Amino acid sequence: NAEVLQNELKENIRLRKEKENLHNYLQTIVESLPDKIFEISPEGIISFVNRETIGKGGTGLRAIKGKHFTEFVAPEHKEFVLKKWEDAKKGIFRPYELQVTARDGTRRDLLITPRPVKGTNRYLLVQRDITELKELESKYCESKHLTALGQLSAGIAHEIRNPLSSIKMSLKILQKRLNPKGNDLKRFEIAQREVEHLEGLVNDVLVFAKPSEPKKKPSNIINILEQALSMVEQPLLDKGIKVEKIFDKGIGSVDVDPMMLGRAFINIFQNSIDAMDQGGVLTITVRRSSDDEVSYVVIEVKDNGCGIAESDLQYLFNPFFTRKRYGTGLGLSQVQRIIDQHKGKIEILSEEGKGTRFIVRLPLGNAEGIKATAT
Ligand SMILES: Nc1ncnc2c1ncn2[C@@H]1O[C@H](COP(=O)(O)OP(=O)(O)OP(=O)(O)O)[C@@H](O)[C@H]1O
Ligand SMILES: [Mg+2]
């Protein structure tokens, strides 16, 4: 009989050990999940959380267990989350998204999925961090959107181009034949100017839709800037704008497409000129800078014009975004593309009513390229 008892005891110990193992096994799986899982009583009290969220102040598992889950919801989200909680209690378990501020101050997107715990009256809240996913999604949408916009506008521009050149030709021939004078001549000239304006627009759109590859060669950045400045000489004179140049002459050469880069700076200059009135000062600075391992040439274009509203800043580089009556809004999207093609960076600092600074950083070519043309 004692033997039977002993066997039973052994069996009991074995079973208990097995149960413990199984418990540990399941526990490691739950702990290893990327999602955070909370188990909540019907009253909203947290009874289990899969990963200890140990904060700096030592808030651990014990600080979370036994508390009402809304204690961990930011005040601005409380009403919304409580509404979802009520839904869950009615048997509606739809996932929902929540944007929160993490401890380090970053914004995180969370996906919360409520579930009933089978065979009990308790609930699970599964919390997944979907910040990266959301970013990818929005980038993807944006690029798809831009491609479609480019194709559409290129199609239209292409259709307009040919009729435009025949209008231009006809105008020229007619003017020669009729030899108009006075007001009639003025009308001819207006028509011609408008046709040229349209041609420019159509070309901009085509360049935007089908960008060409830069033909890079060692170039002198200061020459490029001077060249670009000479292209806006007339409007600078018209508005009496002063130009200040602060050029570090020791920059050497940069591996870029001089024509393309020139076009980018003409656009930036033109924008600054548009933003300024009499008394305007355009300051152009060229200097060298380096971070970690990369050296840059930094070109800063500063104006004391009208500045840019903070709410506009996010749209500046969008094609067709313009605040000007006759603007096409393609200038800065072209600039950004050109700087991207040169692996550079562009940054805008602006204050409404005070002025704007465009800061362009271009990586300097290899040392050989610099030496070869430094003279
Ligand atoms: N230096 C600046 N100062 C104030 N606003 C600016 C400046 N640069 C750009 N902007 C604002 O950004 C908008 C977009 O500029 P962008 O060059 O892309 O188009 P645009 O100048 O309006 O037209 P486009 O260049 O195609 O003729 C402008 O309409 C203007 O509101
Ligand atoms: Mg412009």
Side-chain angles (χ1 to χ4, degrees), residues 266-268 270-272 274 322 324 327-332:
I266 293 172
N267 271 312
I268 294 176
Q270 189 63 57
N271 281 345
S272 285
D274 289 344
T322 181
K324 295 172 194 168
T328 59
L330 286 174
L332 284 182

Side-chain angles (χ1 to χ4, degrees), residues 29 32 56 83 94 168 196 239 268 280 284 354 366:
I29 290 184
S32 309
K56 286 198 190 89
K83 164 96 189 34
R94 233 174 258 134
K168 194 174 165 185
E196 269 158 31
K239 285 194 162 181
I268 294 176
I284 306 163
K354 290 213 169 145
N366 55 21

Side-chain angles (χ1 to χ4, degrees), residues 55-276:
K56 286 198 190 89
T59 44
L61 190 56
R62 250 167 296 151
I64 295 175
K65 258 189 179 174
K67 295 230 164 108
H68 199 272
F69 78 96
T70 50
E71 280 187 44
F72 305 97
V73 178
E76 68 264 31
H77 296 313
K78 246 176 207 164
E79 197 183 327
F80 174 74
V81 170
L82 274 174
K83 164 96 189 34
K84 295 291 174 187
W85 175 240
E86 289 307 317
D87 282 352
K89 292 221 263 187
K90 281 185 217 140
I92 306 169
F93 298 108
R94 233 174 258 134
Y96 55 95
E97 287 178 20
L98 209 58
Q99 207 182 43
V100 300
T101 310
R103 275 205 201 88
D104 60 4
T106 53
R107 309 283 299 166
R108 309 297 300 177
D109 291 297
L110 302 177
L111 179 72
I112 316 279
T113 313
R115 300 293 307 164
V117 181
K118 263 191 193 157
T120 74
N121 59 354
R122 296 191 303 273
Y123 300 90
L124 283 185
L125 286 185
V126 181
Q127 171 187 312
R128 171 168 293 187
D129 191 324
I130 54 166
T131 313
E132 275 78 30
L133 206 68
K134 293 288 276 188
E135 273 164 19
L136 263 178
E137 185 187 64
S138 87
K139 271 204 192 119
Y140 174 71
C141 284
E142 195 183 342
S143 80
K144 247 178 102 162
H145 185 73
L146 282 183
T147 312
L149 193 61
Q151 280 167 352
L152 175 69
S153 30
I156 296 173
H158 203 80
E159 287 303 304
I160 293 176
R161 191 144 74 160
N162 292 336
L164 260 187
S165 39
S166 61
I167 293 173
K168 194 174 165 185
M169 277 257 283
S170 306
L171 276 173
K172 259 194 194 138
I173 294 169
L174 277 177
Q175 189 179 357
K176 230 179 184 173
R177 281 239 186 102
L178 302 173
N179 196 19
K181 301 261 174 330
N183 271 342
D184 283 348
L185 177 60
K186 246 187 221 156
R187 288 196 186 100
F188 262 102
E189 283 167 354
I190 290 173
Q192 261 153 6
R193 217 174 37 237
E194 294 296 334
V195 167
E196 269 158 31
H197 175 80
L198 282 178
E199 265 184 346
L201 171 65
V202 164
N203 282 336
D204 278 354
V205 170
L206 287 174
V207 167
F208 161 73
K210 284 204 197 79
S212 55
E213 280 301 307
K215 295 178 191 66
K216 291 187 192 173
K217 58 181 184 199
S219 320
N220 184 322
I221 193 80
I222 292 176
N223 285 351
I224 294 174
L225 289 169
E226 294 281 10
Q227 186 80 29
L229 266 177
S230 70
M231 299 300 285
V232 291
E233 205 177 325
Q234 198 54 46
L236 280 171
L237 281 175
D238 290 346
K239 285 194 162 181
I241 291 167
K242 220 173 105 193
V243 180
E244 277 180 4
K245 302 171 197 169
I246 308 169
F247 292 167
D248 174 356
K249 295 276 200 286
I251 288 290
S253 75
V254 190
D255 208 24
V256 296
D257 182 328
M259 289 289 283
M260 264 183 142
L261 211 60
R263 202 157 1 117
F265 283 107
I266 293 172
N267 271 312
I268 294 176
F269 295 157
Q270 189 63 57
N271 281 345
S272 285
I273 295 166
D274 289 344
M276 291 190 286

